Amino acid sequence: MRTIDTAVGGYFELELPSIDGTPYQQALRYQSARAAFLALLRQSPNVKRVFMPYYICDAMLAPVQAAGKDICFYGLNEKLAVNSQVTLGVGDLLLYVNYFGICTKQCEELLQRFDPAQIVLDCSQAFYAQLQDCYATIYSPRKFFGIPDGGLLVTASPISPPEFQDAGSKDRIWHLIKRLGGTAEDGYQDFKNAEGSLDDMEPRGMSNITQRLLQAVNFEAVHVARNQNFAYLRNFLDETNTLEISPDVNGPHCYPYLPARSVKKENLIKNRVFVATYWPDVLSRAKYNSFETKLVNQCIPIPCDQRYSAETLARVLDLIL
């Protein structure tokens, strides 16, 4: 359970469990998840190499490069877990993404396989994932709620909070306003501009605007809606989905549909079902016939967030099936 504090500053208060006697009572707040990752790496002098998945957006590779750490790429198996060839040595850190918010089991197995002090969990797509005992966990609440920016860092490592506060939210918020007052297409260019502005990942504190917007979020209602919508989709799609999904998914980002037969995203988009592609930049580094390439080209991340009703999802299913 996450609670929002009213103070302005570097911390975002959380109700989190105690791990090894150390209470994780606060998370550092940044303008983005990538800024949080950069702050962590800059203040981790013993880390020399960072193992990153092929299947990740370039935005999360940039902090590793900016921090002057070496990158070692690793592949996933078809259960979205780290492949068996990966080994970690002294000075190594591994970042694993809780893909689509459905990889709780994979996270738990990873922390049994490796030293948790060498693992960073990227929960950008898993805001409601339970906190695990690891080196650090990164969250991106803007992927779940109507806010223009924001990233959270939970770690037992002594990381100094950001010295300056971000002031860019007022320029990133327009796509959200236009979406409220019109259509998704109306704010698309503003959305791209907002995303581009986050390329400036110099760590700064979460803005006042974003903090105030988060105070208005009904976190439990969002949680319930996402779970209900996900259950509705999987009832119709699990049978034809080649991606194995655990039965205990909780607060997912989307429903990742990887059908045996090809489904054209263009047809969905033409009918105003806007499905993303995660992530085209992966194709430049993954092998042509790899599982990662298959995910980029064939996986359809079907929205299941709190904006969708059962009637809307039924229309989406008609287009797919």
Side-chain angles (χ1 to χ4, degrees):
M1 177 66 69
R2 291 155 173 77
T3 60
I4 308 298
D5 71 339
T6 56
V8 174
Y11 290 92
F12 178 100
E13 292 187 356
L14 307 173
E15 293 177 6
L16 297 172
S18 175
I19 301 172
D20 293 333
T22 303
Y24 283 59
Q25 294 300 331
Q26 294 177 316
L28 286 160
R29 298 177 294 199
Y30 294 90
Q31 79 271 26
S32 66
R34 70 194 80 167
F37 192 30
L38 177 57
L40 177 73
L41 293 176
R42 278 182 175 170
Q43 299 183 61
S44 302
N46 294 329
V47 173
K48 307 303 179 185
R49 296 193 303 175
V50 183
F51 282 71
M52 299 290 288
Y54 286 109
Y55 190 56
I56 196 169
C57 63
D58 282 355
M60 287 300 284
L61 300 178
V64 187
Q65 297 163 338
K69 313 293 185 182
D70 294 332
I71 295 178
C72 296
F73 286 106
Y74 67 84
L76 302 171
N77 64 28
E78 295 202 354
K79 293 186 177 181
L80 295 172
V82 178
N83 71 50
S84 59
Q85 285 74 43
V86 175
T87 59
L88 299 180
V90 176
D92 291 342
L93 201 64
L94 183 146
L95 180 137
Y96 176 75
V97 179
N98 188 330
Y99 293 102
F100 317 113
I102 67 167
C103 294
T104 296
K105 181 180 178 182
Q106 291 89 331
C107 290
E108 292 171 349
E109 292 174 347
L110 185 70
L111 295 173
Q112 293 173 359
R113 177 179 164 189
F114 297 111
D115 180 356
Q118 292 183 285
I119 302 299
V120 175
L121 294 179
D122 182 346
C123 289
S124 295
Q125 296 185 338
F127 183 83
Y128 291 96
Q130 184 175 356
L131 190 68
Q132 302 284 339
D133 179 9
C134 61
Y135 185 63
T137 305
I138 297 169
Y139 296 95
S140 182
R142 70 188 182 93
K143 292 182 172 61
F144 282 75
F145 315 112
I147 57 176
D149 42 49
L152 303 173
L153 174 65
V154 180
T155 180
S157 183
I159 303 298
S160 300
E163 184 178 356
F164 301 103
Q165 189 172 35
D166 180 58
S169 292
K170 63 183 183 300
D171 299 316
R172 301 187 193 108
I173 203 169
W174 291 107
H175 68 98
L176 297 170
I177 294 174
K178 289 182 179 179
R179 177 105 186 218
L180 283 173
T183 67
E185 295 93 333
D186 293 338
Y188 184 62
Q189 185 57 51
D190 293 280
F191 168 75
K192 291 200 296 183
N193 294 340
E195 287 290 299
S197 73
L198 292 173
D199 288 342
D200 177 6
M201 59 189 171
E202 186 61 32
R204 292 185 293 275
M206 186 183 287
S207 73
N208 290 341
I209 291 174
T210 297
Q211 292 182 75
R212 292 304 178 98
L213 289 173
L214 277 170
Q215 290 173 24
V217 173
N218 186 330
F219 293 100
E220 186 56 31
V222 171
H223 191 190
V224 169
R226 284 179 175 270
N227 281 339
Q228 289 178 341
N229 287 341
F230 189 89
Y232 180 87
L233 289 170
R234 74 180 307 170
N235 186 51
F236 291 94
L237 296 176
D238 269 9
E239 188 173 321
T240 56
N241 194 352
T242 64
L243 194 63
E244 182 180 326
I245 299 177
S246 169
D248 57 351
V249 172
N250 192 14
H253 180 254
C254 61
Y255 179 91
Y257 185 48
L258 188 62
R261 65 178 181 86
S262 177
V263 175
K264 292 185 177 180
K265 290 182 181 178
E266 294 81 2
N267 184 50
L268 296 173
I269 294 171
K270 182 178 67 176
N271 285 277
R272 306 193 72 252
V273 177
F274 300 107
V275 290
T277 296
Y278 302 131
W279 289 273
D281 30 338
V282 170
L283 298 177
S284 66
R285 55 181 171 268
K287 293 181 180 180
Y288 174 74
N289 60 348
S290 66
F291 179 57
E292 288 81 2
T293 297
K294 184 178 181 181
L295 287 171
V296 175
N297 291 330
Q298 298 179 33
C299 185
I300 302 172
I302 303 173
C304 66
D305 63 67
Q306 58 274 18
R307 298 168 298 171
Y308 289 82
S309 64
E311 292 77 15
T312 304
L313 293 176
R315 175 174 166 267
V316 173
L317 288 170
D318 284 342
L319 290 169
I320 291 173
L321 298 177

